[in-house]
Amino acid sequence: MTALNPNKRNTSDRVCTAIAATGGVIGVLCLNDYLARNAANAKPAETTPQAPLGVYLDHLDYLKRLVARIMWVIGPDFVDGQDLSKPGAWPGNRFTPDMISPGDDILYCEGFESIDQLPNVVVGLRERGWTRIEIGKLLGDNWARVYRTAWGA
């Protein structure tokens, strides 16, 4: 969310509300740079310090408040072993130093560095008052709803 961290790769409130209005879903990444790196603090040759899990949870909380309808999903994008700072690393994407740290050592927020740490996210959201239904929507029910709508199944 650009409102929490003005990284150019993050999504604006306007886009999030437009997606929710169509019935779509909004994925929230746990890539450290999207949570913590931006033009004001980026040093091209340095890796952004690792953000704690709470920063990721802040993004989920913010989106929950912004989009009252339950349209958010987990989308961690675990892409280990790829040098995202290289031009053309992802087709069509052009990362600049203010968007992503250099090198192929992709950093995720502390406490959600791999899918086996997903329970940390669930526990953190429960501690913040999220309901079982909200967490279920986040973890897959919203994806299933969109797939059913798109495929008519």
Side-chain angles (χ1 to χ4, degrees), residues 139-153:
L139 296 180
D141 291 348
N142 276 333
W143 283 121
R145 176 187 50 79
V146 168
Y147 296 150
R148 278 191 305 274
T149 301
W151 297 329

Side-chain angles (χ1 to χ4, degrees), residues 117-137:
Q117 293 180 320
L118 182 59
N120 295 341
V121 174
V122 173
V123 168
L125 293 174
R126 284 186 182 150
E127 289 173 353
R128 290 172 177 232
W130 283 52
T131 67
R132 198 166 66 199
I133 291 172
E134 291 169 334
I135 292 170
K137 298 277 186 186

